[in-house]
Amino acid sequence: MMKDIDYQKIFHEIATELGDIDNLGEVATYIPELGKVNPAKFGIHLTTVGMNHFSFGDSDEAFSIQSISKVLSLTLALKLIGKDVWQRVGVEPSGSPFNSLVQLEYEKGIPRNPFINAGAIVVCDILVSCLNNPKEEFIEFIRHISGIQSIDYNFAVAESEKQTGFRNYAVANFMKSFGNIHNDVEPVLDFYCHLCSIEMSCQELTQTFLFLASGGVNPVTNEVVISPERSKRINSVMQMCGFYDEAGEFAFKTGLPGKSGVGGGIVAIHPGEYCITVWSPRLNPNGNSYKGMKVLEAITTKTQSSIF
Ligand code: GLN
């Protein structure tokens, strides 16, 4: 167990030290509804596996979690069909942007990993096959593992993404041509756009993802969300693939498994220690939160704790 760390003090120090980067990066506007966020928002929430909480800034304000939900859809797919997931999607870093099409052609419609859009769309296809009411059952799953009944989709964001999701439709149709999408493209993309539209605060995301810091067990209820073996694997895929073509950079600078979303959120896990969520909507050119990446790097550097 790590020594007691005053994270609150560290958050204040980092917020002061990083203050001058507040105008760097751009809010995502390719999904028009996301462009409405106030770019100055900034929140942090850390919870230790011993249930100590540390918050900073706008940590209670809900935002669009976007691709962070891909970790939760993978978790549910693993619970439902186990290792058969890996017949349809790989576990290798892509080194490509999140919405890239290029590898799919020469890898015959099998996406590199479940966190690029193509891989997450395959996971959605698996869930559409397994569930009677995918949207209802998926949101119930999140409410159950988090214990937060108010978590919901933002239907305006889902619709905005459906109207403009030309690349995601292209990716899904392309994979269908290789036989790796079993359902019609429309219900799969409808489900995908909804799961990207889920809104949660830093505090809620941290509470939801805490099971990955504690071997698959929810430390509040002691319920087994997923086996320790699968918890390890989900963290491994986050480590290698959670930041697309910046995954190596995040491992290099921060040294924790994590997952970003174009809403500006990042969740990171220190297995056995804590879960942390940072939110700052301005993105760097790789589609990851500009300030969020810097904050997490500063936290593991100042506390001298990472998985490496
Ligand atoms: N909904 C977004 C998309 O499909 C998710 C991308 C992300 O958060 N990296 O483009």
Side-chain angles (χ1 to χ4, degrees):
M1 212 19 121
M2 227 155 36
K3 56 192 180 298
D4 277 344
I5 294 175
D6 187 349
Y7 290 105
Q8 210 65 54
K9 181 163 162 272
I10 288 173
F11 295 164
H12 277 93
E13 281 172 17
I14 291 171
T16 310
E17 288 164 19
L18 293 181
D20 58 345
I21 64 165
D22 274 354
N23 292 326
L24 298 177
E26 300 295 335
V27 168
T29 51
Y30 75 99
I31 302 170
E33 227 18 61
L34 290 185
K36 296 181 177 170
V37 71
N38 175 352
K41 293 290 177 185
F42 176 48
I44 313 177
H45 190 97
L46 182 150
T47 302
T48 65
V49 293
M51 297 309 287
N52 292 313
H53 296 272
F54 304 88
S55 301
F56 185 87
D58 304 309
S59 58
D60 286 337
E61 192 167 322
F63 61 91
S64 193
I65 73 169
Q66 290 294 316
S67 287
I68 297 171
S69 62
K70 293 171 181 170
V71 181
L72 302 171
S73 47
L74 174 66
T75 303
L76 183 55
L78 286 171
K79 280 174 85 75
L80 291 170
I81 68 163
K83 61 182 176 1
D84 288 351
V85 169
W86 308 122
Q87 306 289 323
R88 311 258 314 264
V89 58
V91 293
E92 297 296 336
S94 69
S96 300
F98 60 83
N99 55 6
S100 175
L101 279 139
V102 288
Q103 285 163 343
L104 281 176
E105 175 145 38
Y106 55 82
E107 294 179 357
K108 305 205 171 359
I110 306 291
R112 279 283 171 105
N113 66 68
F115 296 155
I116 51 173
N117 289 7
I121 291 168
V122 167
V123 172
C124 284
D125 185 57
I126 292 170
L127 294 178
V128 167
S129 296
C130 291
L131 304 173
N132 292 325
N133 295 301
K135 283 186 270 190
E136 289 79 357
E137 290 174 54
F138 184 64
I139 205 76
E140 275 312 320
F141 170 68
I142 298 182
R143 289 173 184 155
H144 179 76
I145 63 171
S146 63
I148 306 166
Q149 293 306 314
S150 57
I151 293 172
D152 212 343
Y153 302 108
N154 179 323
F155 296 99
V157 171
E159 193 50 40
S160 182
E161 179 149 3
K162 282 181 78 176
Q163 297 299 324
T164 53
F166 306 111
R167 290 187 76 93
N168 288 330
Y169 278 88
V171 162
N173 278 296
F174 201 31
M175 292 192 294
K176 191 160 176 73
S177 77
F178 285 104
N180 200 20
I181 293 292
H182 297 174
N183 298 281
D184 288 343
V185 164
E186 188 49 41
V188 175
L189 261 289
D190 179 66
F191 181 44
Y192 172 82
C193 291
H194 278 81
L195 67 89
C196 290
S197 82
I198 292 171
E199 294 188 333
M200 288 195 224
S201 66
C202 293
Q203 193 265 323
E204 290 171 335
L205 272 166
T206 297
Q207 187 166 324
T208 307
F209 277 73
L210 204 52
F211 71 95
L212 290 172
S214 45
V217 177
N218 177 331
V220 181
T221 60
N222 283 326
E223 187 187 351
V224 176
V225 176
I226 200 137
S227 68
E229 182 193 7
R230 288 191 177 140
S231 174
K232 173 188 77 176
R233 291 193 167 151
I234 294 168
N235 280 324
S236 306
V237 183
M238 282 205 279
Q239 179 71 63
M240 292 181 296
C241 314
F243 298 83
Y244 317 111
D245 35 351
E246 209 175 1
E249 190 86 1
F250 188 75
F252 182 62
K253 290 183 169 164
T254 299
L256 298 177
K259 184 75 204 82
S260 65
V262 291
I266 302 176
V267 174
I269 310 289
H270 196 323
E273 301 290 345
Y274 63 74
C275 175
I276 182 168
T277 305
V278 177
W279 173 45
S280 171
R282 288 184 189 271
L283 308 180
N284 67 21
N286 298 311
N288 300 315
S289 171
Y290 190 101
K291 188 167 176 174
M293 299 289 272
K294 304 271 183 219
V295 167
L296 288 165
E297 176 186 358
I299 289 172
T300 56
T301 304
K302 272 182 186 282
T303 59
Q304 297 180 14
S305 72
S306 79
I307 65 165
F308 298 107

